[in-house]
Amino acid sequence: ATCGISYGAGIAVLAAAHDPRIKAAASLSGWGNLTDALYAANSPSRVWANLLLVSGEIFGREPADLWRIWNSINTRNNISGVKAWSDMRSPVAVVDKLAARNVSVFLSNNFEDRLFKPDAALRYRQILHGAGVPTLTMLNQGVHASAEMPGLVGKENAVFSRVKSFL
């Protein structure tokens, strides 16, 4: 099984789609469609995206073209190219692979999440469910990752209790 929070949530599902050893994925405060996350309603999510980009520079190894893509979003330039780049990196693009292998997906999202919005999580859940992917969804009080973070540091909480029972 894989489990991730925020950016790691989408990566957990992508890994599950591509690695036959993985039978389940938990996506906590995650994203299903990268375009929806970064450019919902044709409007850049500047504060959150900048936070993600800076944290990626500090903690990760972001792709070389990431800042170019973000500049395109901010200037509303080459949006069709941005959408093509985002679509091929989105978990919604691998739903058929998840369904074919019967990979289970647990989704947790928070009502006040302004980065990966709950309505986008519910649309993603409908796509998974419609494709026959076994899915369990939790919607929690709080902002981005607030319901999940205590479990990340070893504190027992409702989300991680459900994740453990789901996996």
Side-chain angles (χ1 to χ4, degrees), residues 138-161:
M138 280 184 79
L139 290 175
N140 317 290
Q141 295 297 324
V143 297
H144 183 68
S146 64
E148 299 87 5
M149 283 300 186
L152 188 63
V153 295
K155 304 282 186 191
E156 192 61 34
N157 73 355
V159 174
F160 272 84
S161 293

Side-chain angles (χ1 to χ4, degrees), residues 77-85:
N77 182 25
N78 189 24
I79 295 303
S80 61
V82 168
K83 288 181 179 182
W85 181 90

Side-chain angles (χ1 to χ4, degrees):
T2 59
C3 179
I5 297 176
S6 191
Y7 177 73
I11 299 302
V13 175
L14 290 169
H18 295 289
D19 188 332
R21 298 171 297 172
I22 301 171
K23 307 295 183 212
S27 174
L28 313 179
S29 281
W31 46 281
N33 183 308
L34 194 53
T35 301
D36 284 350
L38 298 177
Y39 197 62
N42 297 323
S43 179
S45 181
R46 288 189 175 102
V47 172
W48 282 110
N50 283 320
L51 180 65
L52 285 172
L53 290 166
V54 169
S55 64
E57 281 187 331
I58 295 168
F59 302 112
R61 296 181 317 222
E62 69 274 352
D65 56 351
L66 190 60
W67 283 97
R68 179 185 55 77
I69 292 295
W70 182 236
N71 285 333
S72 292
I73 291 172
N74 271 324
T75 60
R76 292 178 170 80
N77 182 25
N78 189 24
I79 295 303
S80 61
V82 168
K83 288 181 179 182
W85 181 90
S86 298
D87 288 347
M88 63 189 232
R89 288 164 174 80
S90 294
V92 294
V94 296
V95 168
D96 291 342
K97 289 182 179 186
L98 296 166
R101 292 193 24 253
N102 201 37
V103 174
S104 299
V105 178
F106 179 95
L107 302 173
S108 173
N109 196 276
N110 303 307
F111 287 115
E112 296 300 321
D113 193 333
R114 297 294 176 237
L115 175 55
F116 303 137
K117 297 173 177 65
D119 59 329
L122 292 174
R123 282 193 307 274
Y124 177 39
R125 185 246 178 240
Q126 285 302 108
I127 292 167
L128 290 165
H129 183 73
V133 175
T135 309
L136 178 65
T137 305
M138 280 184 79
L139 290 175
N140 317 290
Q141 295 297 324
V143 297
H144 183 68
S146 64
E148 299 87 5
M149 283 300 186
L152 188 63
V153 295
K155 304 282 186 191
E156 192 61 34
N157 73 355
V159 174
F160 272 84
S161 293
R162 290 296 297 271
V163 167
K164 289 175 191 174
S165 66
F166 180 77
L167 299 177

